[in-house]
Amino acid sequence: MTTVGESRRGRPGYDQGGILEIAVAAFNQYGYEATSMGLLAERLGLSKAAIYHHVSSKEELLSLALDRALGALEGVLDEEGARTGSAVDRLSHVIDRAVHVLVAELPSVTLLLRLRGNTEVERQALTRRREFDRAVTALVVAARDEGSLRSDIDPRIAERLVFGMINSIAEWYRPDGSEDVDRLAADVLAVALDGLRS
Amino acid sequence: MTTVGESRRGRPGYDQGGILEIAVAAFNQYGYEATSMGLLAERLGLSKAAIYHHVSSKEELLSLALDRALGALEGVLDEEGARTGSAVDRLSHVIDRAVHVLVAELPSVTLLLRLRGNTEVERQALTRRREFDRAVTALVVAARDEGSLRSDIDPRIAERLVFGMINSIAEWYRPDGSEDVDRLAADVLAVALDGLRS
């Protein structure tokens, strides 16, 4: 996510990005609510005051991480491949790219997916996430209306199932593992559009 | 999950099942680690001592809930439909029934799906869950080998994607909503086996 080590001032330490990286890992391991600034300070080897030099609160760390995940996902919808071509091609582009974003931004997307909506920051992120899902559902509807997708499954359910498949990758994907992300995205697309049957 | 109200002794209160129900809801809302016995006592309107009359620890509540979810899932593999017939029919049975189990045992399965593996009880549950996934993967392999399923997707990835789809239902399903569970299970099977393409 960012450099951990020498800060810009030339002394060992963390910049905001480095603190964010450690914080997101802790939120994912223990849950946001169970992670205190004290625990973060311990993990970083910093005083709490040193952390507050970089961020105003634990909630700001959450907000920065969620904005990173959501910004990356929303960016997919603005890409050329999501805006031109047949609806099924645009949908395919979004599915493929969403897998890539999930893998590239694994810690922050994992955090986004585990939100419980207990705080205002979480609820705002869930609202943004729902807007993303609505945009993808509109693509499913368009692909159905153009005759590319079956019409016997509610587009909202179809979108939820496909993104359920994509999001679940965060539960088992290991960045250092043998799973190639292009192959994985192709597998998701193959199941979503054509299914497992031979 | 169980009766909340009159206990067997005839005075208002909770039995172990009633305490478990409230505990699982709190674990799902705040996370297991962030939920203290004090918070549970508050929610139940009981003293901590009264809770300890029914369960030995917070961890026992977690253990009981996870055993409930895992027992229900494992039970599916023992059903007639999962043990006889072609591999693809057995796999279809397991997928269909797993959706039904998820909806029937929504709170405890949700808890299972959100485990982080920070405690021994969690790690044991994750081991049991992996054994379930291995059994389903063996079915995918058998269905591929009998020629029913495509051979260009790694069966372990196929199993993870299909159960990712199933498990994601826990994130949005509302027991009081309009989603019929039979229909939902049929939709999951349709996407998993045949895909969304018309």
Side-chain angles (χ1 to χ4, degrees):
Chain A
M1 208 176 252
T2 186
T3 49
V4 175
E6 295 289 304
S7 80
R8 286 190 210 117
R9 285 171 198 160
R11 57 182 177 76
Y14 293 91
D15 59 10
Q16 194 192 63
I19 291 171
L20 187 59
E21 187 172 356
I22 302 290
V24 171
F27 295 162
N28 283 332
Q29 183 173 356
Y30 301 110
Y32 173 68
E33 320 226 348
T35 304
S36 65
M37 285 299 253
L39 186 142
L40 288 183
E42 215 172 272
R43 284 222 168 175
L44 288 157
L46 295 176
S47 66
K48 283 203 247 181
I51 300 181
Y52 286 121
H53 179 69
H54 294 284
V55 290
S56 63
S57 62
K58 188 173 86 158
E59 200 157 52
E60 191 190 354
L61 287 166
L62 179 67
S63 179
L64 287 166
L66 295 176
D67 186 58
R68 186 180 172 105
L70 287 161
L73 275 172
E74 290 160 354
V76 168
L77 297 176
D78 288 332
E79 291 172 359
E80 181 73 7
R83 292 188 295 112
T84 56
S86 68
V88 71
D89 284 348
R90 285 182 282 146
L91 178 64
S92 299
H93 177 87
V94 169
I95 291 172
D96 176 82
R97 291 283 301 127
V99 175
H100 282 84
V101 162
L102 181 136
V103 166
E105 304 290 346
L106 198 58
S108 61
V109 176
T110 300
L111 185 63
L112 174 67
L113 295 174
R114 291 182 177 170
L115 289 190
R116 290 185 169 81
N118 289 331
T119 64
E120 189 50 34
V121 166
E122 291 177 75
R123 284 188 289 274
Q124 282 173 10
L126 289 172
T127 299
R128 266 175 83 179
R129 172 71 218 213
R130 272 193 295 274
E131 279 162 23
F132 175 84
D133 284 327
R134 258 198 293 275
V136 179
T137 301
L139 270 181
V140 175
V141 169
R144 179 197 63 182
D145 290 350
E146 77 185 10
S148 304
L149 296 189
R150 57 199 293 164
S151 58
D152 61 341
I153 298 181
D154 181 326
R156 285 166 308 178
I157 303 292
E159 194 273 342
R160 282 170 170 166
L161 294 178
V162 170
F163 269 81
M165 191 155 52
I166 294 171
N167 296 338
S168 71
I169 294 169
E171 297 302 318
W172 56 267
Y173 190 84
R174 294 292 163 268
D176 51 355
S178 61
E179 279 305 308
D180 176 72
V181 59
D182 292 330
R183 175 64 193 270
L184 184 57
D187 288 347
V188 170
L189 258 181
V191 176
L193 293 183
D194 299 308
L196 288 172
R197 215 189 290 275
S198 58
Chain B
M1 204 177 248
T2 184
T3 48
V4 174
E6 294 292 303
S7 79
R8 287 192 207 111
R9 285 171 197 159
R11 56 182 176 78
Y14 292 91
D15 58 11
Q16 194 192 62
I19 290 172
L20 188 59
E21 188 172 353
I22 302 291
V24 170
F27 295 163
N28 282 332
Q29 183 174 356
Y30 301 110
Y32 173 68
E33 321 227 346
T35 305
S36 65
M37 285 299 253
L39 186 143
L40 288 183
E42 214 172 275
R43 284 219 168 178
L44 288 156
L46 295 175
S47 65
K48 284 204 246 181
I51 300 181
Y52 286 121
H53 179 71
H54 294 283
V55 290
S56 62
S57 62
K58 188 173 88 160
E59 199 158 50
E60 192 191 353
L61 287 166
L62 179 67
S63 180
L64 287 167
L66 295 176
D67 187 59
R68 184 180 173 107
L70 286 161
L73 275 173
E74 290 160 355
V76 169
L77 298 175
D78 288 332
E79 291 172 359
E80 182 73 8
R83 293 188 296 111
T84 57
S86 68
V88 71
D89 284 348
R90 285 182 283 145
L91 178 65
S92 299
H93 177 87
V94 170
I95 292 172
D96 176 81
R97 290 282 301 127
V99 175
H100 283 84
V101 162
L102 181 136
V103 166
E105 303 290 347
L106 198 57
S108 61
V109 175
T110 301
L111 186 62
L112 174 66
L113 296 173
R114 290 183 178 171
L115 289 190
R116 291 185 169 82
N118 289 331
T119 66
E120 189 50 35
V121 166
E122 290 176 76
R123 284 187 290 274
Q124 281 173 12
L126 288 172
T127 299
R128 268 174 82 179
R129 172 72 218 212
R130 272 192 295 273
E131 279 161 23
F132 175 84
D133 284 327
R134 261 197 291 275
V136 179
T137 302
L139 270 182
V140 175
V141 170
R144 179 197 63 182
D145 291 350
E146 76 185 11
S148 304
L149 297 190
R150 58 200 292 165
S151 57
D152 60 341
I153 298 181
D154 182 328
R156 285 166 307 178
I157 302 292
E159 194 273 343
R160 283 170 170 166
L161 293 178
V162 171
F163 268 82
M165 192 154 52
I166 295 171
N167 295 338
S168 72
I169 294 168
E171 297 303 319
W172 56 267
Y173 190 83
R174 294 292 163 267
D176 52 355
S178 61
E179 277 306 308
D180 176 72
V181 59
D182 294 329
R183 175 63 193 270
L184 185 56
D187 288 347
V188 169
L189 258 181
V191 176
L193 293 183
D194 300 308
L196 288 172
R197 214 188 291 274
S198 58

